[in-house]
PDB file of all heavy atoms in Angstrom:
ATOM      1  N   ASP A   2     126.351  86.179 -37.359  1.00 98.00           N
ATOM      2  CA  ASP A   2     125.858  87.022 -38.448  1.00 98.00           C
ATOM      3  C   ASP A   2     126.550  86.689 -39.764  1.00 98.00           C
ATOM      4  O   ASP A   2     125.930  86.773 -40.841  1.00 98.00           O
ATOM      5  CB  ASP A   2     126.052  88.497 -38.105  1.00 98.00           C
ATOM      6  CG  ASP A   2     125.182  88.953 -36.940  1.00 98.00           C
ATOM      7  OD1 ASP A   2     124.255  88.199 -36.566  1.00 98.00           O
ATOM      8  OD2 ASP A   2     125.438  90.046 -36.398  1.00 98.00           O
ATOM      9  N   THR A   3     127.816  86.293 -39.694  1.00 98.00           N
ATOM     10  CA  THR A   3     128.546  85.911 -40.905  1.00 98.00           C
ATOM     11  C   THR A   3     127.968  84.635 -41.495  1.00 98.00           C
ATOM     12  O   THR A   3     127.719  84.544 -42.713  1.00 98.00           O
ATOM     13  CB  THR A   3     130.040  85.723 -40.586  1.00 98.00           C
ATOM     14  OG1 THR A   3     130.578  86.953 -40.086  1.00 98.00           O
ATOM     15  CG2 THR A   3     130.814  85.317 -41.828  1.00 98.00           C
ATOM     16  N   ILE A   4     127.746  83.629 -40.639  1.00 98.00           N
ATOM     17  CA  ILE A   4     127.145  82.375 -41.122  1.00 98.00           C
ATOM     18  C   ILE A   4     125.768  82.636 -41.701  1.00 98.00           C
ATOM     19  O   ILE A   4     125.413  82.133 -42.780  1.00 98.00           O
ATOM     20  CB  ILE A   4     127.076  81.336 -39.984  1.00 98.00           C
ATOM     21  CG1 ILE A   4     128.485  80.947 -39.536  1.00 98.00           C
ATOM     22  CG2 ILE A   4     126.290  80.114 -40.416  1.00 98.00           C
ATOM     23  CD1 ILE A   4     128.517  80.061 -38.301  1.00 98.00           C
ATOM     24  N   ARG A   5     124.979  83.430 -40.997  1.00 98.00           N
ATOM     25  CA  ARG A   5     123.620  83.728 -41.470  1.00 98.00           C
ATOM     26  C   ARG A   5     123.644  84.393 -42.840  1.00 98.00           C
ATOM     27  O   ARG A   5     122.896  84.004 -43.746  1.00 98.00           O
ATOM     28  CB  ARG A   5     122.902  84.624 -40.463  1.00 98.00           C
ATOM     29  CG  ARG A   5     121.486  85.021 -40.885  1.00 98.00           C
ATOM     30  CD  ARG A   5     120.893  85.999 -39.887  1.00 98.00           C
ATOM     31  NE  ARG A   5     120.667  85.367 -38.602  1.00 98.00           N
ATOM     32  CZ  ARG A   5     120.771  85.991 -37.424  1.00 98.00           C
ATOM     33  NH1 ARG A   5     121.158  87.261 -37.379  1.00 98.00           N
ATOM     34  NH2 ARG A   5     120.518  85.348 -36.307  1.00 98.00           N
ATOM     35  N   ALA A   6     124.523  85.362 -43.033  1.00 98.00           N
ATOM     36  CA  ALA A   6     124.586  86.075 -44.311  1.00 98.00           C
ATOM     37  C   ALA A   6     125.068  85.159 -45.432  1.00 98.00           C
ATOM     38  O   ALA A   6     124.507  85.155 -46.536  1.00 98.00           O
ATOM     39  CB  ALA A   6     125.498  87.295 -44.183  1.00 98.00           C
ATOM     40  N   ASP A   7     126.110  84.370 -45.165  1.00 98.00           N
ATOM     41  CA  ASP A   7     126.695  83.532 -46.214  1.00 98.00           C
ATOM     42  C   ASP A   7     125.746  82.409 -46.639  1.00 98.00           C
ATOM     43  O   ASP A   7     125.551  82.159 -47.840  1.00 98.00           O
ATOM     44  CB  ASP A   7     128.013  82.929 -45.734  1.00 98.00           C
ATOM     45  CG  ASP A   7     129.100  83.963 -45.538  1.00 98.00           C
ATOM     46  OD1 ASP A   7     128.982  85.074 -46.085  1.00 98.00           O
ATOM     47  OD2 ASP A   7     130.082  83.655 -44.813  1.00 98.00           O
ATOM     48  N   VAL A   8     125.172  81.707 -45.674  1.00 98.00           N
ATOM     49  CA  VAL A   8     124.299  80.585 -46.013  1.00 98.00           C
ATOM     50  C   VAL A   8     123.001  81.104 -46.628  1.00 98.00           C
ATOM     51  O   VAL A   8     122.456  80.486 -47.562  1.00 98.00           O
ATOM     52  CB  VAL A   8     124.040  79.698 -44.785  1.00 98.00           C
ATOM     53  CG1 VAL A   8     123.123  78.544 -45.141  1.00 98.00           C
ATOM     54  CG2 VAL A   8     125.356  79.166 -44.219  1.00 98.00           C
ATOM     55  N   SER A   9     122.508  82.240 -46.150  1.00 98.00           N
ATOM     56  CA  SER A   9     121.311  82.833 -46.762  1.00 98.00           C
ATOM     57  C   SER A   9     121.551  83.134 -48.232  1.00 98.00           C
ATOM     58  O   SER A   9     120.716  82.839 -49.096  1.00 98.00           O
ATOM     59  CB  SER A   9     120.909  84.112 -46.026  1.00 98.00           C
ATOM     60  OG  SER A   9     120.509  83.848 -44.704  1.00 98.00           O
ATOM     61  N   GLU A  10     122.715  83.712 -48.531  1.00 98.00           N
ATOM     62  CA  GLU A  10     123.019  84.034 -49.929  1.00 98.00           C
ATOM     63  C   GLU A  10     123.060  82.762 -50.770  1.00 98.00           C
ATOM     64  O   GLU A  10     122.560  82.741 -51.910  1.00 98.00           O
ATOM     65  CB  GLU A  10     124.366  84.767 -50.006  1.00 98.00           C
ATOM     66  CG  GLU A  10     124.687  85.357 -51.384  1.00 98.00           C
ATOM     67  CD  GLU A  10     125.149  84.326 -52.390  1.00 98.00           C
ATOM     68  OE1 GLU A  10     125.844  83.359 -51.995  1.00 98.00           O
ATOM     69  OE2 GLU A  10     124.795  84.466 -53.584  1.00 98.00           O
ATOM     70  N   ALA A  11     123.629  81.690 -50.228  1.00 98.00           N
ATOM     71  CA  ALA A  11     123.770  80.450 -50.993  1.00 98.00           C
ATOM     72  C   ALA A  11     122.426  79.790 -51.263  1.00 98.00           C
ATOM     73  O   ALA A  11     122.127  79.399 -52.394  1.00 98.00           O
ATOM     74  CB  ALA A  11     124.698  79.486 -50.254  1.00 98.00           C
ATOM     75  N   VAL A  12     121.587  79.662 -50.223  1.00 98.00           N
ATOM     76  CA  VAL A  12     120.333  78.921 -50.419  1.00 98.00           C
ATOM     77  C   VAL A  12     119.287  79.735 -51.174  1.00 98.00           C
ATOM     78  O   VAL A  12     118.388  79.168 -51.804  1.00 98.00           O
ATOM     79  CB  VAL A  12     119.753  78.410 -49.084  1.00 98.00           C
ATOM     80  CG1 VAL A  12     120.739  77.478 -48.397  1.00 98.00           C
ATOM     81  CG2 VAL A  12     119.332  79.540 -48.162  1.00 98.00           C
ATOM     82  N   TRP A  13     119.408  81.075 -51.136  1.00 97.00           N
ATOM     83  CA  TRP A  13     118.446  81.910 -51.859  1.00 97.00           C
ATOM     84  C   TRP A  13     119.030  82.446 -53.162  1.00 97.00           C
ATOM     85  O   TRP A  13     118.406  83.270 -53.824  1.00 97.00           O
ATOM     86  CB  TRP A  13     117.983  83.075 -50.983  1.00 97.00           C
ATOM     87  CG  TRP A  13     117.121  82.625 -49.849  1.00 97.00           C
ATOM     88  CD1 TRP A  13     117.504  82.402 -48.566  1.00 97.00           C
ATOM     89  CD2 TRP A  13     115.725  82.304 -49.898  1.00 97.00           C
ATOM     90  NE1 TRP A  13     116.443  81.973 -47.810  1.00 97.00           N
ATOM     91  CE2 TRP A  13     115.342  81.904 -48.611  1.00 97.00           C
ATOM     92  CE3 TRP A  13     114.777  82.323 -50.921  1.00 97.00           C
ATOM     93  CZ2 TRP A  13     114.039  81.520 -48.307  1.00 97.00           C
ATOM     94  CZ3 TRP A  13     113.478  81.939 -50.621  1.00 97.00           C
ATOM     95  CH2 TRP A  13     113.111  81.537 -49.329  1.00 97.00           C
ATOM     96  N   ARG A  14     120.202  81.964 -53.561  1.00 97.00           N
ATOM     97  CA  ARG A  14     120.815  82.434 -54.800  1.00 97.00           C
ATOM     98  C   ARG A  14     119.884  82.156 -55.989  1.00 97.00           C
ATOM     99  O   ARG A  14     119.361  81.063 -56.155  1.00 97.00           O
ATOM    100  CB  ARG A  14     122.161  81.737 -55.019  1.00 97.00           C
ATOM    101  CG  ARG A  14     123.001  82.346 -56.147  1.00 97.00           C
ATOM    102  CD  ARG A  14     124.359  81.678 -56.215  1.00 97.00           C
ATOM    103  NE  ARG A  14     125.110  81.852 -54.960  1.00 97.00           N
ATOM    104  CZ  ARG A  14     126.243  81.213 -54.690  1.00 97.00           C
ATOM    105  NH1 ARG A  14     126.737  80.329 -55.548  1.00 97.00           N
ATOM    106  NH2 ARG A  14     126.866  81.438 -53.539  1.00 97.00           N
ATOM    107  N   GLY A  15     119.676  83.185 -56.804  1.00 93.00           N
ATOM    108  CA  GLY A  15     118.784  83.058 -57.953  1.00 93.00           C
ATOM    109  C   GLY A  15     117.351  83.431 -57.663  1.00 93.00           C
ATOM    110  O   GLY A  15     116.525  83.464 -58.584  1.00 93.00           O
ATOM    111  N   SER A  16     117.018  83.722 -56.402  1.00 93.00           N
ATOM    112  CA  SER A  16     115.650  84.074 -56.038  1.00 93.00           C
ATOM    113  C   SER A  16     115.429  85.578 -56.163  1.00 93.00           C
ATOM    114  O   SER A  16     116.324  86.375 -55.886  1.00 93.00           O
ATOM    115  CB  SER A  16     115.354  83.638 -54.603  1.00 93.00           C
ATOM    116  OG  SER A  16     114.115  84.135 -54.157  1.00 93.00           O
ATOM    117  N   ASP A  17     114.210  85.958 -56.543  1.00 91.00           N
ATOM    118  CA  ASP A  17     113.851  87.377 -56.610  1.00 91.00           C
ATOM    119  C   ASP A  17     113.462  87.929 -55.248  1.00 91.00           C
ATOM    120  O   ASP A  17     113.346  89.143 -55.081  1.00 91.00           O
ATOM    121  CB  ASP A  17     112.694  87.585 -57.592  1.00 91.00           C
ATOM    122  CG  ASP A  17     113.077  87.260 -59.025  1.00 91.00           C
ATOM    123  OD1 ASP A  17     114.263  87.425 -59.359  1.00 91.00           O
ATOM    124  OD2 ASP A  17     112.198  86.820 -59.789  1.00 91.00           O
ATOM    125  N   SER A  18     113.233  87.051 -54.280  1.00 91.00           N
ATOM    126  CA  SER A  18     112.809  87.503 -52.946  1.00 91.00           C
ATOM    127  C   SER A  18     113.582  86.740 -51.871  1.00 91.00           C
ATOM    128  O   SER A  18     113.006  85.909 -51.156  1.00 91.00           O
ATOM    129  CB  SER A  18     111.303  87.305 -52.760  1.00 91.00           C
ATOM    130  OG  SER A  18     110.937  85.959 -53.048  1.00 91.00           O
ATOM    131  N   PRO A  19     114.888  86.975 -51.778  1.00 92.00           N
ATOM    132  CA  PRO A  19     115.704  86.253 -50.795  1.00 92.00           C
ATOM    133  C   PRO A  19     115.313  86.600 -49.365  1.00 92.00           C
ATOM    134  O   PRO A  19     114.826  87.698 -49.086  1.00 92.00           O
ATOM    135  CB  PRO A  19     117.126  86.713 -51.114  1.00 92.00           C
ATOM    136  CG  PRO A  19     116.966  88.033 -51.780  1.00 92.00           C
ATOM    137  CD  PRO A  19     115.685  87.943 -52.556  1.00 92.00           C
ATOM    138  N   ARG A  20     115.512  85.648 -48.469  1.00 93.00           N
ATOM    139  CA  ARG A  20     115.253  85.839 -47.051  1.00 93.00           C
ATOM    140  C   ARG A  20     116.480  85.389 -46.276  1.00 93.00           C
ATOM    141  O   ARG A  20     117.424  84.847 -46.846  1.00 93.00           O
ATOM    142  CB  ARG A  20     114.029  85.011 -46.628  1.00 93.00           C
ATOM    143  CG  ARG A  20     112.732  85.503 -47.240  1.00 93.00           C
ATOM    144  CD  ARG A  20     111.669  84.424 -47.325  1.00 93.00           C
ATOM    145  NE  ARG A  20     111.534  83.627 -46.107  1.00 93.00           N
ATOM    146  CZ  ARG A  20     110.775  82.519 -46.046  1.00 93.00           C
ATOM    147  NH1 ARG A  20     110.120  82.108 -47.100  1.00 93.00           N
ATOM    148  NH2 ARG A  20     110.695  81.839 -44.915  1.00 93.00           N
ATOM    149  N   THR A  21     116.457  85.610 -44.993  1.00 94.00           N
ATOM    150  CA  THR A  21     117.559  85.151 -44.149  1.00 94.00           C
ATOM    151  C   THR A  21     117.183  83.851 -43.466  1.00 94.00           C
ATOM    152  O   THR A  21     116.007  83.610 -43.156  1.00 94.00           O
ATOM    153  CB  THR A  21     117.926  86.204 -43.091  1.00 94.00           C
ATOM    154  OG1 THR A  21     116.765  86.506 -42.311  1.00 94.00           O
ATOM    155  CG2 THR A  21     118.443  87.475 -43.741  1.00 94.00           C
ATOM    156  N   ILE A  22     118.166  83.024 -43.232  1.00 97.00           N
ATOM    157  CA  ILE A  22     117.955  81.773 -42.519  1.00 97.00           C
ATOM    158  C   ILE A  22     118.117  82.012 -41.021  1.00 97.00           C
ATOM    159  O   ILE A  22     118.522  83.087 -40.587  1.00 97.00           O
ATOM    160  CB  ILE A  22     118.947  80.703 -43.004  1.00 97.00           C
ATOM    161  CG1 ILE A  22     120.379  81.127 -42.644  1.00 97.00           C
ATOM    162  CG2 ILE A  22     118.817  80.478 -44.502  1.00 97.00           C
ATOM    163  CD1 ILE A  22     121.359  79.988 -42.610  1.00 97.00           C
ATOM    164  N   GLY A  23     117.817  80.986 -40.236  1.00 97.00           N
ATOM    165  CA  GLY A  23     117.997  81.092 -38.796  1.00 97.00           C
ATOM    166  C   GLY A  23     119.304  80.459 -38.362  1.00 97.00           C
ATOM    167  O   GLY A  23     119.638  79.350 -38.801  1.00 97.00           O
ATOM    168  N   VAL A  24     120.054  81.149 -37.511  1.00 98.00           N
ATOM    169  CA  VAL A  24     121.305  80.613 -36.967  1.00 98.00           C
ATOM    170  C   VAL A  24     121.345  80.896 -35.470  1.00 98.00           C
ATOM    171  O   VAL A  24     121.135  82.034 -35.043  1.00 98.00           O
ATOM    172  CB  VAL A  24     122.545  81.240 -37.645  1.00 98.00           C
ATOM    173  CG1 VAL A  24     123.827  80.699 -37.001  1.00 98.00           C
ATOM    174  CG2 VAL A  24     122.545  80.973 -39.143  1.00 98.00           C
ATOM    175  N   LYS A  25     121.620  79.877 -34.688  1.00 98.00           N
ATOM    176  CA  LYS A  25     121.804  80.026 -33.243  1.00 98.00           C
ATOM    177  C   LYS A  25     123.103  79.338 -32.864  1.00 98.00           C
ATOM    178  O   LYS A  25     123.306  78.160 -33.186  1.00 98.00           O
ATOM    179  CB  LYS A  25     120.636  79.393 -32.476  1.00 98.00           C
ATOM    180  CG  LYS A  25     120.799  79.443 -30.959  1.00 98.00           C
ATOM    181  CD  LYS A  25     119.663  78.694 -30.267  1.00 98.00           C
ATOM    182  CE  LYS A  25     119.859  78.673 -28.757  1.00 98.00           C
ATOM    183  NZ  LYS A  25     118.795  77.888 -28.065  1.00 98.00           N
ATOM    184  N   LEU A  26     123.989  80.062 -32.211  1.00 98.00           N
ATOM    185  CA  LEU A  26     125.226  79.483 -31.699  1.00 98.00           C
ATOM    186  C   LEU A  26     125.095  79.242 -30.199  1.00 98.00           C
ATOM    187  O   LEU A  26     124.560  80.080 -29.466  1.00 98.00           O
ATOM    188  CB  LEU A  26     126.417  80.402 -31.973  1.00 98.00           C
ATOM    189  CG  LEU A  26     126.798  80.615 -33.445  1.00 98.00           C
ATOM    190  CD1 LEU A  26     128.030  81.503 -33.545  1.00 98.00           C
ATOM    191  CD2 LEU A  26     127.036  79.293 -34.155  1.00 98.00           C
ATOM    192  N   VAL A  27     125.591  78.099 -29.757  1.00 98.00           N
ATOM    193  CA  VAL A  27     125.524  77.719 -28.343  1.00 98.00           C
ATOM    194  C   VAL A  27     126.950  77.557 -27.833  1.00 98.00           C
ATOM    195  O   VAL A  27     127.705  76.718 -28.324  1.00 98.00           O
ATOM    196  CB  VAL A  27     124.747  76.406 -28.157  1.00 98.00           C
ATOM    197  CG1 VAL A  27     124.653  76.044 -26.677  1.00 98.00           C
ATOM    198  CG2 VAL A  27     123.353  76.501 -28.784  1.00 98.00           C
ATOM    199  N   LEU A  28     127.323  78.370 -26.838  1.00 98.00           N
ATOM    200  CA  LEU A  28     128.661  78.314 -26.254  1.00 98.00           C
ATOM    201  C   LEU A  28     128.726  77.242 -25.156  1.00 98.00           C
ATOM    202  O   LEU A  28     127.694  76.802 -24.638  1.00 98.00           O
ATOM    203  CB  LEU A  28     129.037  79.681 -25.688  1.00 98.00           C
ATOM    204  CG  LEU A  28     129.195  80.800 -26.730  1.00 98.00           C
ATOM    205  CD1 LEU A  28     129.471  82.130 -26.038  1.00 98.00           C
ATOM    206  CD2 LEU A  28     130.316  80.461 -27.713  1.00 98.00           C
ATOM    207  N   PRO A  29     129.934  76.802 -24.784  1.00 98.00           N
ATOM    208  CA  PRO A  29     130.067  75.693 -23.831  1.00 98.00           C
ATOM    209  C   PRO A  29     129.331  75.887 -22.519  1.00 98.00           C
ATOM    210  O   PRO A  29     128.842  74.906 -21.929  1.00 98.00           O
ATOM    211  CB  PRO A  29     131.585  75.604 -23.606  1.00 98.00           C
ATOM    212  CG  PRO A  29     132.170  76.091 -24.889  1.00 98.00           C
ATOM    213  CD  PRO A  29     131.254  77.193 -25.338  1.00 98.00           C
ATOM    214  N   GLU A  30     129.244  77.128 -22.036  1.00 98.00           N
ATOM    215  CA  GLU A  30     128.556  77.327 -20.763  1.00 98.00           C
ATOM    216  C   GLU A  30     127.067  77.007 -20.841  1.00 98.00           C
ATOM    217  O   GLU A  30     126.399  76.858 -19.811  1.00 98.00           O
ATOM    218  CB  GLU A  30     128.758  78.765 -20.252  1.00 98.00           C
ATOM    219  CG  GLU A  30     128.380  79.845 -21.246  1.00 98.00           C
ATOM    220  CD  GLU A  30     129.572  80.352 -22.037  1.00 98.00           C
ATOM    221  OE1 GLU A  30     130.483  79.532 -22.329  1.00 98.00           O
ATOM    222  OE2 GLU A  30     129.600  81.547 -22.352  1.00 98.00           O
TER     223      GLU A  30
END
C-alpha cells in the first residue's frame, strides 16, 4: 500500500484526476 500510494502520487502529480497504480508483491513461497 505504501508503494502504491507513493508511486501513484508521483506519476499522477499535476493531474486533476489522479488514479492509483497496480502493485503486486510476491513472497518467496
Side-chain angles (χ1 to χ4, degrees):
D2 293 347
T3 300
I4 295 173
R5 179 185 293 147
D7 293 341
V8 179
S9 295
E10 189 283 325
V12 300
W13 290 98
R14 191 175 299 170
S16 171
D17 295 330
S18 53
R20 293 156 45 189
T21 57
I22 65 159
V24 177
K25 177 185 177 183
L26 294 182
V27 182
L28 294 176
E30 54 264 34

